[in-house]
Amino acid sequence: MKALTRTDFNFEGQKSVYHGKVRDVYNINDDLMVMVATDRISAFDVILPKGIPYKGQVLNQIAAKFLDATNDICPNWKLATPDPMVTIGLKCEGFRVEMIIRSILTGSAWREYKNGCRELCGVKLPEGMKENERFPEPIITPTTKADEGHDMNISREEIIAQGIVSEEDYKVMENYTRKLFARGQMIAQKQGLILVDTKYEFGKRDGKVYLIDEIHTPDSSRYFYADGYEEKLAKGEPQRQLSKEFVRQWLIEHNFMNEPGQTMPEITDEYAESVSERYIELYEHIIGERFEKAADNDNIAARIEQNVSKYLKAR
């Protein structure tokens, strides 16, 4: 099974390229962005040494569907998806903050809570909560956006005081974050899922705040199955979930959390294929449609180059 882990395109009008952990973003004439969702996979802020077939397509298509399903709430950057692994949209000046919103105490928030933390990013947490218990209402716990290494937790007050985002823009982002999350929860509920937590990124163009990047994918979000949630919570059992958490758990079991002295375990072809199957399962549960594998998967880069170039020429 083929996987695209590296791109090196040279599109017409290309000014620069940014290789992120998972996405490669091409700047076209300082006006458009060509975002390629590669098959790279990251966990604990490190890219795993092997790509996951069809993962990029899964992420790109989930994000595209949710961008379309929420564009009445706030403007977003998407213009087109000329290839199953590519979204083209408006170039915005990204804010150096990720807006994380959580409805349930789990993951890193639970790990901190268990260690005695009762305030997260300036938000006071109730006493006596259990793992996977719902918050009285969703909480926003932003992080600074790091180019390398770990994103750092930060409070609303610190963001504004440090001038990272103006108070006016932050209020807009906060409002959009709550509304987008409510919509995401509603859509998830129809699929028998709970949208547990997610992150949004925003940018600015012509004085207007836009939603950018991806939205509600299993890389940026955590989903639980609604069926059995209450029973498992009452018994203190792990929840059945749809997210990248299963990859993190596998790494933890193999003694890797990207800490000094730890070695990345070997990613076999069999394991990569099993992760691919899980991502396809995620797609079908989250979207409620059968996943159609992209054609021409033997030469993914050539297919992308052809599809993107055709779109850019037609503009």
Side-chain angles (χ1 to χ4, degrees):
M1 291 170 79
K2 290 280 196 336
L4 180 73
T5 55
R6 176 83 189 165
T7 73
D8 188 22
F9 297 117
N10 192 6
F11 299 118
E12 196 174 331
Q14 182 174 315
K15 289 281 184 78
S16 61
V17 59
Y18 167 73
H19 297 283
K21 286 175 194 152
V22 171
R23 287 169 177 74
D24 292 346
V25 185
Y26 292 82
N27 167 5
I28 309 297
N29 290 321
D30 289 328
D31 180 42
L32 301 181
M33 302 290 257
V34 173
M35 185 181 281
V36 183
T38 72
D39 293 320
R40 295 193 295 269
I41 185 165
S42 77
F44 299 117
D45 291 318
V46 66
I47 297 165
L48 275 61
K50 194 181 287 259
I52 306 300
Y54 297 106
K55 174 183 174 282
Q57 183 188 344
V58 164
L59 292 190
N60 190 60
Q61 292 189 334
I62 291 175
K65 284 178 185 290
F66 276 107
L67 286 168
D68 291 345
T70 56
N71 62 12
D72 61 317
I73 293 173
C74 71
N76 68 58
W77 73 290
K78 176 181 176 261
L79 293 173
T81 48
D83 183 273
M85 295 174 75
V86 179
T87 297
I88 295 181
L90 299 170
K91 184 178 185 296
C92 302
E93 189 63 44
F95 291 111
R96 305 296 297 160
V97 164
E98 293 184 349
M99 299 295 279
I100 296 170
I101 182 164
R102 307 169 185 270
S103 64
I104 287 174
L105 180 59
T106 193
S108 63
W110 165 249
R111 289 193 280 273
E112 293 202 27
Y113 190 89
K114 194 170 58 171
N115 290 334
C117 169
R118 291 297 178 270
E119 187 177 304
L120 198 57
C121 303
V123 180
K124 296 272 192 295
L125 305 178
E127 287 291 343
M129 287 188 75
K130 296 189 295 188
E131 183 177 14
N132 299 328
E133 187 179 340
R134 288 182 191 275
F135 292 113
E137 62 177 41
I139 63 170
I140 294 176
T141 58
T143 64
T144 56
K145 194 163 158 47
D147 287 329
E148 287 180 15
H150 295 278
D151 297 338
M152 302 296 290
N153 286 346
I154 191 168
S155 71
R156 175 191 202 275
E157 291 70 27
E158 288 169 320
I159 289 167
I160 294 165
Q162 291 176 28
I164 300 170
V165 179
S166 72
E167 186 168 8
E168 184 187 359
D169 286 338
Y170 192 87
K171 280 179 179 171
V172 172
M173 286 161 57
E174 212 169 36
N175 178 40
Y176 284 161
T177 294
R178 294 197 184 280
K179 287 181 176 173
L180 290 165
F181 191 63
R183 177 70 57 82
Q185 286 182 304
M186 189 181 75
I187 294 170
Q189 195 177 4
K190 289 177 184 167
Q191 297 301 125
L193 299 170
I194 299 166
L195 179 57
V196 174
D197 50 42
T198 192
K199 75 173 175 70
Y200 302 115
E201 294 188 36
F202 296 94
K204 214 168 182 185
R205 180 179 170 115
D206 300 329
K208 194 159 75 168
V209 175
Y210 284 80
L211 174 65
I212 59 172
D213 201 53
E214 61 167 359
I215 171 177
H216 297 165
T217 77
D219 264 24
S220 64
S221 317
R222 195 187 317 255
Y223 292 89
F224 287 169
Y225 287 91
D227 184 34
Y229 164 74
E230 294 293 349
E231 294 88 331
K232 288 183 186 302
L233 177 66
K235 291 177 184 171
E237 294 175 358
Q239 294 290 336
R240 287 180 66 223
Q241 59 176 294
L242 284 174
S243 74
K244 203 171 58 170
E245 189 65 24
F246 71 91
V247 176
R248 291 190 200 99
Q249 288 302 328
W250 182 83
L251 289 169
I252 290 169
E253 284 160 23
H254 287 77
N255 302 313
F256 184 82
M257 289 178 72
N258 195 20
E259 286 170 359
Q262 294 184 336
T263 308
M264 169 74 69
E266 186 198 354
I267 312 288
T268 63
D269 287 348
E270 290 74 23
Y271 182 68
E273 203 163 317
S274 76
V275 176
S276 176
E277 285 163 11
R278 286 290 293 271
Y279 267 89
I280 289 170
E281 180 196 343
L282 294 174
Y283 175 93
E284 293 181 343
H285 277 289
I286 292 165
I287 299 299
E289 295 171 8
R290 193 168 170 277
F291 180 75
E292 300 289 343
K293 291 180 177 178
D296 302 327
N297 223 53
D298 285 339
N299 197 340
I300 306 169
R303 184 197 73 208
I304 289 173
E305 188 156 25
Q306 185 178 1
N307 288 338
V308 171
S309 297
K310 190 173 164 187
Y311 174 84
L312 292 175
K313 277 195 178 78
R315 263 185 72 81

